[in-house]
Amino acid sequence: MDYKELDIWVQARALVKSVYVLTKSFPREEQFSLTSQVRRCSVSVPSNIAEGCGRQSNKETIHFLHISRGSLYELETQLILANDLGYIDTDIKVILHEVERVKKLLNGFINYYKKL
């Protein structure tokens, strides 16, 4: 199966879009620090899913899925910090719900590969 057809990749990609829209409102002075870091974390999630799917063995695939999961947890923390700093002007629960949905899908995908 092509990774682009996987629900986890599609949802992770949608999360990237949400993060980019959300971070547009971050202060200009954060452009090269927190804004950049949050965006890079979000991009890392679908990118590592894709890279893992392109690997030769299940062990390699799982390794990249774990990297993706780590980026997702990092993203969640950075979003909470941005909210603490007053940079998020919408309800943070919306984006955190999206992060949680991707987390669940990713954990399920990791478990699927572990059983192969």
Side-chain angles (χ1 to χ4, degrees):
M1 175 183 266
D2 185 3
Y3 73 88
K4 294 185 291 288
E5 296 174 13
L6 296 170
D7 192 37
I8 179 56
W9 186 82
V10 170
Q11 293 299 318
R13 198 171 132 224
L15 178 60
V16 172
K17 185 175 182 181
S18 295
V19 165
Y20 269 73
V21 169
L22 181 73
T23 56
K24 281 183 182 180
S25 66
F26 281 19
R28 189 160 175 77
E29 64 267 15
E30 289 292 341
Q31 183 177 0
F32 298 108
S33 52
L34 190 58
T35 304
S36 175
Q37 185 65 21
V38 169
R39 288 178 172 185
R40 281 185 284 131
C41 274
S42 71
V43 168
S44 177
V45 177
S47 298
N48 278 292
I49 292 167
E51 186 167 357
C53 289
R55 292 298 170 149
Q56 297 290 327
S57 71
N58 289 351
K59 184 178 178 182
E60 286 180 297
T61 299
I62 291 169
H63 171 74
F64 281 94
L65 295 177
H66 281 143
I67 292 171
S68 182
R69 186 169 64 185
S71 294
L72 199 52
Y73 277 85
E74 185 179 358
L75 171 63
E76 181 178 48
T77 297
Q78 291 168 355
L79 290 170
I80 292 168
L81 292 172
N83 190 60
D84 291 347
L85 294 167
Y87 298 163
I88 296 178
D89 54 9
T90 60
D91 185 1
I92 191 173
K93 290 177 187 170
V94 174
I95 190 82
L96 292 181
H97 177 56
E98 202 170 340
V99 168
E100 192 61 35
R101 184 174 63 238
V102 173
K103 250 197 252 182
K104 287 178 182 176
L105 287 169
L106 187 54
N107 285 330
F109 198 48
I110 290 168
N111 288 334
Y112 166 78
Y113 262 94
K114 284 182 176 178
K115 292 176 183 174
L116 291 180

